[in-house]
Amino acid sequence: MFARQFRVKSNTAIKGSDRRKLKADVSAAFPSLTADELCELIPNKEELNVVKIYAHKGDAVTLYVLHKNPLFFELEKRLYPTVYVLWRHPALLPTFRTWPPVLEKLIGGADLMLPGVVAPSGGLPNVKRGDCCSVTLVNNRAPVAVGNAASSSEEMLSAGMKGRGVCVLHAYMDHLWAFGDKSGPPSFPDAEGEGQEANGEDYEVDDTQEEAERCEEEEEEQLSSEKVKDQPCCGSEALSLAVQEEEIECITENIWRCFSPSGKQLDIKKSSYKKLSKFLQAMQKQHNLIRVKELTKGVESIVEVDWNNKELRYFKVVEETNGDAAAAAQDGGEAEPPYHPPEITTLYSVSARLEPLFLDANKRKGTILQPAEVRHIVTEYVKKNELVDENNKNYVTVDPTLCDCLLEKSEYQEVQSLKWDDLFGRALGKMAECYEVVFPGHAPVRKKGHMEPIDVSVASRGSNKKVTLIKNLDAYGLDPAAVGAALQRRVQASSVLQPVPGSKDKVVVQIQGNQIHQVGRLLTDYYQIPRKYIQGLDKAPKSGKK
């Protein structure tokens, strides 16, 4: 969540009542903290700031900052500790251990995958799906990441420790960490970690460190393969990337899934071999490059590679150049520029009813303003007319103009003053909402109303068959055909474009099955569309259901 720079909306000192509420919320969320530890984290008299930010995907997050270090962040009304808190209380959360090389992937925004988890002899921590947990490295108990458990401990074990383990929200060296004093993690020796290093028996390691790193990179490779059009398959290229001297054994079916060159999607069907089994057979019998062994029925593994073979030693991966792209364009298409999401800004238009409130600022009916401009104009009006309550500066006295502009008729005799937030909220609520869309390289476009979100839904077709429908992609500058093709490659299901009834040029993407989870990941992670502009992601199937 904080792998990229976030935007600060406000930074204010916390009020006394809010400080007490925060302390109560922290105590409820983390009951293992003693009263003294709670007072140490949230002291009564030291300055504590509330910082409201927008993450790079548009999520609204609240930070609680003490001595310039963020202590907790609140997301969707749930509190999470930062690494600065966990370094003082490393046992605050259930912990999953992993290898040090995985940390770089976590910092970059990747989740912790289960093959990279190092399980202690006592077993995994007892967690349920969605539980807040931390990530540590082998031989140091100082947490380096915070997130939510992707599944329960039992589900992790029943899945054979495959798949996603922790959905990481915050990590050491990300931008939330950099918002603080940028100190490093302390050294907390891990007795089990030392034992594992000494005799190798205290931990059950599901995969090698290289496998753990590879699993963390899997999502990146999948995304990078979608950035360009399908490329002709080169089997030797995949083989040279898949099998390294330090990592001989490799399940054959994993070559194309995990080891496609960056920026390409290899397709065995476009090669002369057509099938992976024929390619491996040729590499083994005709070229003597590899030796393949059948582990179980239908499952083969590359167990030996002849590194001295001239064909392999002198093989080089040919890098694609601009000339290749130009040639591809001449052969039938143009190289598409990378997609950048539009900047969407909510604006407000002065209505006839509120015009008297904006006359001093020379803003007439129909004038379009930013929310910050509205707040500034209203504030200046209050100050100019000396309407701030002398006894309580949190309140504003309602004069005749404010009464006519902001109050309902039933409130005329009852409401004599308003809180500042209520004042601003009423002013914005009485204005006509509109929005501005700016695509890179294009002039801003302003429209009335609010930006319609991308709609993702599931519909039934025939007897117990489901399809996923994606509407309104064109409003965000997305090519429905390109989105459909990317989803088709990702989920291996057919997709088609259907015309929208009553519209001449709009289409909806239809793909087989309930693919809401994959659609959400594609739109938010790859295309960088903020979640608030996508509706229907809550209809994703639960784990284990399709």
Side-chain angles (χ1 to χ4, degrees), residues 255-274:
I255 292 179
W256 260 253
R257 180 175 64 84
C258 294
F259 296 99
S260 294
S262 176
K264 295 182 181 180
Q265 179 175 343
L266 301 183
D267 188 351
I268 189 67
K269 293 180 180 179
K270 294 183 179 180
S271 73
S272 59
Y273 299 100
K274 303 301 181 183

Side-chain angles (χ1 to χ4, degrees), residues 238-468:
L239 177 63
S240 66
L241 289 167
V243 188
Q244 302 298 322
E245 291 190 46
E246 299 86 355
E247 185 184 342
I248 296 297
E249 292 200 15
C250 176
I251 303 297
T252 57
E253 65 180 12
N254 289 343
I255 292 179
W256 260 253
R257 180 175 64 84
C258 294
F259 296 99
S260 294
S262 176
K264 295 182 181 180
Q265 179 175 343
L266 301 183
D267 188 351
I268 189 67
K269 293 180 180 179
K270 294 183 179 180
S271 73
S272 59
Y273 299 100
K274 303 301 181 183
K275 292 183 178 180
L276 177 60
S277 58
K278 290 185 178 180
F279 164 70
L280 294 173
Q281 187 178 23
M283 294 300 105
Q284 180 174 231
K285 294 184 178 180
Q286 298 176 18
H287 302 275
N288 297 317
L289 281 173
I290 59 174
R291 185 167 67 87
V292 178
K293 178 181 178 182
E294 187 175 39
L295 300 180
T296 59
K297 187 175 181 180
V299 179
E300 294 181 328
S301 174
I302 299 174
V303 295
E304 186 177 329
V305 176
D306 182 7
W307 298 104
N308 294 319
N309 189 293
K310 291 183 179 180
E311 292 186 39
L312 191 59
R313 287 177 60 188
Y314 296 110
F315 176 81
K316 293 183 179 180
V317 178
V318 179
E319 298 293 337
E320 186 178 89
T321 64
N322 293 334
D324 298 327
Q330 292 176 357
D331 289 340
E334 296 182 357
E336 296 183 1
Y339 173 81
H340 295 286
E343 293 184 9
I344 304 170
T345 306
T346 300
L347 303 172
Y348 294 89
S349 174
V350 177
S351 61
R353 181 174 178 179
L354 263 67
E355 190 174 31
L357 183 58
F358 290 86
L359 283 179
D360 289 346
N362 294 319
K363 306 298 182 184
R364 301 289 179 177
K365 176 186 174 182
T367 304
I368 295 177
L369 301 170
Q370 298 265 5
E373 293 178 293
V374 175
R375 295 173 66 94
H376 174 73
I377 292 172
V378 172
T379 300
E380 291 301 311
Y381 176 86
V382 170
K383 291 181 178 178
K384 179 180 178 180
N385 292 277
E386 299 181 349
L387 299 178
V388 178
D389 193 314
E390 295 181 358
N391 298 321
N392 189 341
K393 294 186 178 181
N394 292 324
Y395 285 85
V396 174
T397 302
V398 176
D399 69 350
T401 299
L402 292 178
C403 179
D404 292 339
C405 292
L406 305 180
L407 298 186
E408 303 296 334
K409 289 184 178 180
S410 60
E411 297 176 317
Y412 284 176
Q413 303 300 324
E414 299 177 1
V415 179
Q416 304 298 323
S417 60
L418 294 171
K419 279 190 173 183
W420 280 102
D421 287 345
D422 191 13
L423 182 72
F424 296 137
R426 287 173 180 253
L428 293 173
K430 301 293 183 184
M431 301 178 73
E433 186 175 336
C434 50
Y435 63 94
E436 180 182 81
V437 181
V438 181
F439 287 96
H442 294 76
V445 176
R446 289 182 173 180
K447 296 183 180 181
K448 295 180 180 180
H450 63 278
M451 183 73 171
E452 290 293 333
I454 296 174
D455 182 75
V456 185
S457 61
V458 175
S460 296
R461 295 286 187 270
S463 58
N464 201 29
K465 291 184 178 179
K466 296 185 180 298
V467 294
T468 302

